[in-house]
Amino acid sequence: MAFGSGLATVFGGSGFIGAQAVRALAKQGWRVRVAVRNPVTANELQPLGDVGQIQLMRCDVTKAEDVARALKGADACVNLVGVLHETPGRGFHKMHVEAAETIARAAKAAGVGRLVQVSAIGAAPDSPSLYNRTKGEAEAVTRSIRKDAVILRPSVVFGMGDSFLNRFAGLATMAPVLPLIGGGETKFQPVYVGDVAEAIAQAVVRPDAAGRTFELGGPAVYSFREILQLILRETGRGRLLAPLPFFAARMLGSLAQLPALVGIRPMLTRDQVVMMQADNVVAPDAEGLAALGIQPTGLEAIAPAYLWRYRVGGQFADRPAF
């Protein structure tokens, strides 16, 4: 497969990471077919490439025939399908495990040259977190079908439109107290969405990436407390950080996730609290961004570019001193 040529199908390409991955692939010269449930909601992706370079296609990943059509003529495919919380009809097992199996089988049948499965740090079939457990099962089923599949495991991903920094920055505009879940000691290695997108593009084209797993993290490790302090400092918000034991946070998460039953994104879920009981950092022996030729971007270099909207006065407010 030649560098930057051919057709790449991206499943889940309209999401936060997916839009950047589509841009990165288009920049390399790929024609990109974006397979999404509702193409109307993904129209903003087409200007990311040249005229006709990016094609939107309706695809329900729970239907094998839809997936097969999306992969017709494709030279590579990227599976970015995932949900952060369960909703009726879109549970973790269906959207992670079953979708991954359907895509892997269809890719094998269609003779697709490269399959990239985007997973997450912490993915493991024996994880106490249902999210991480199903991500681990998705990795296993993908590799059982395509041993040459490339697996990417990002840490918490940040950037314009993320659901991590924005979530807590938004909460700080309303609440006088922010919860330090588990005392705020959980470690994270936030990775920039642009670096994850470039890792996806490199995983598609590099012959030496076949069959390997890469854990993607930024240049620095932060505790949850340090991340909240960064958000408060950058937004100029003075808020109390109150320790919240894991058992209490799990109870809170069980209540906070109830809006998901009617399709409303919850602020917190019980499963997310369970995930926070383990550090989310690149393993010491894991291959990472450097192995794909990517220099990681720091959190402090990017976060101010979008957290300003949460300051009193917005873009006209004085930038807080560090």
Side-chain angles (χ1 to χ4, degrees):
M1 179 169 52
F3 178 88
S5 63
L7 172 65
T9 297
V10 179
F11 295 94
S14 62
F16 170 55
I17 298 175
Q20 296 299 318
V22 168
R23 182 196 299 271
L25 289 166
K27 188 176 179 180
Q28 285 187 350
W30 289 87
R31 289 182 294 116
V32 185
R33 179 182 293 154
V34 186
V36 292
R37 280 195 305 161
N38 186 358
V40 174
T41 64
N43 285 329
E44 69 275 9
L45 297 178
Q46 291 183 308
L48 299 180
D50 294 332
V51 176
Q53 188 179 12
I54 297 171
Q55 170 198 4
L56 305 181
M57 180 177 185
R58 186 192 176 283
C59 175
D60 182 344
V61 293
T62 67
K63 297 179 179 179
E65 59 272 23
D66 279 13
V67 173
R69 280 196 295 270
L71 288 172
K72 186 176 182 180
D75 301 289
C77 80
V78 178
N79 179 16
L80 273 159
V81 174
V83 291
L84 295 176
H85 60 272
E86 295 187 297
T87 55
R90 289 175 60 81
F92 287 137
H93 192 272
K94 175 176 284 189
M95 302 310 298
H96 294 167
V97 186
E98 294 178 19
E101 180 175 7
T102 299
I103 290 170
R105 291 195 184 282
K108 183 176 181 179
V112 175
R114 175 58 52 87
L115 169 60
V116 178
Q117 170 77 15
V118 180
S119 185
I121 286 180
D126 60 351
S127 173
S129 157
L130 185 56
Y131 175 90
N132 280 337
R133 190 186 318 155
T134 52
K135 281 290 190 178
E137 292 170 354
E139 290 184 6
V141 74
T142 298
R143 279 274 171 80
S144 71
I145 299 167
R146 288 286 302 261
K147 297 188 186 310
D148 63 341
V150 183
I151 292 174
L152 301 179
R153 295 175 177 167
S155 182
V156 171
V157 183
F158 70 89
M160 183 77 71
D162 69 44
S163 59
F164 188 63
L165 297 188
N166 280 297
R167 176 183 305 180
F168 289 101
L171 182 61
T173 66
M174 301 179 290
V177 178
L178 296 183
L180 278 176
I181 297 172
E185 299 307 312
T186 306
K187 300 293 192 300
F188 295 91
Q189 195 169 347
V191 60
Y192 177 47
V193 64
D195 293 338
V196 175
E198 183 59 26
I200 291 170
Q202 291 300 316
V204 166
V205 300
R206 290 176 65 125
D208 63 342
R212 292 160 67 184
T213 297
F214 302 88
E215 296 198 350
L216 313 180
V221 174
Y222 301 82
S223 69
F224 183 54
R225 179 191 295 271
E226 290 170 333
I227 289 175
L228 291 186
Q229 288 172 336
L230 182 148
I231 290 171
L232 294 178
R233 188 168 65 245
E234 188 56 47
T235 59
R237 301 278 177 176
R239 297 291 184 264
L240 177 66
L241 299 179
L244 185 66
F246 280 122
F247 77 88
R250 288 194 296 271
M251 294 174 59
L252 178 62
S254 295
L255 294 173
Q257 70 188 26
L258 292 178
L261 296 176
V262 292
I264 300 173
R265 187 178 73 177
M267 180 64 68
L268 183 71
T269 69
R270 186 183 187 281
D271 197 68
Q272 288 167 352
V273 174
V274 172
M275 283 194 285
M276 288 188 68
Q277 293 182 238
D279 291 339
N280 193 277
V281 299
V282 174
D285 58 345
E287 295 187 288
L289 289 172
L292 293 168
I294 300 168
Q295 181 71 30
T297 306
L299 181 63
E300 290 88 345
I302 300 296
Y306 61 97
L307 289 182
W308 60 262
R309 72 188 69 183
Y310 300 101
R311 300 175 195 156
V312 176
Q315 64 180 313
F316 301 107
D318 291 335
R319 189 174 186 275
F322 283 82

